[in-house]
Amino acid sequence: LAAELRDEFGLQSRWQGDSLLFEHAGVSGELAISSEEVILSVRLGFLLAALKPQIEREVRRHFDANFPA
């Protein structure tokens, strides 16, 4: 997953325990993974905030592909 985020979106990331911390110009966040749930927290910078609906759609698409219910 970390390699996919790097290759597809250019995000720099590092694992801290069971959480993947990531950042790139205008965006940062954390993907926390446990045996029961996956929690994504994303902070968008001012310029990317205008693209929030498109970003949410793309995140949902990736979640559906990588974390089937």
Side-chain angles (χ1 to χ4, degrees), residues 13-67:
S13 63
R14 67 177 169 37
W15 286 100
Q16 184 175 335
D18 292 334
S19 294
L20 180 67
L21 307 176
F22 59 87
E23 61 183 328
H24 189 33
V27 64
S28 63
E30 175 180 358
L31 179 68
I33 301 173
S34 75
S35 61
E36 297 177 5
E37 61 187 353
V38 177
I39 300 171
L40 177 65
S41 174
V42 178
R43 291 170 295 286
L44 298 175
F46 179 74
L47 295 176
L48 288 179
L51 300 174
K52 183 179 176 185
Q54 294 91 328
I55 293 169
E56 284 181 340
R57 273 195 304 276
E58 189 67 14
V59 166
R60 289 181 195 278
R61 186 178 70 79
H62 277 275
F63 257 64
D64 291 345
N66 290 291
F67 304 106

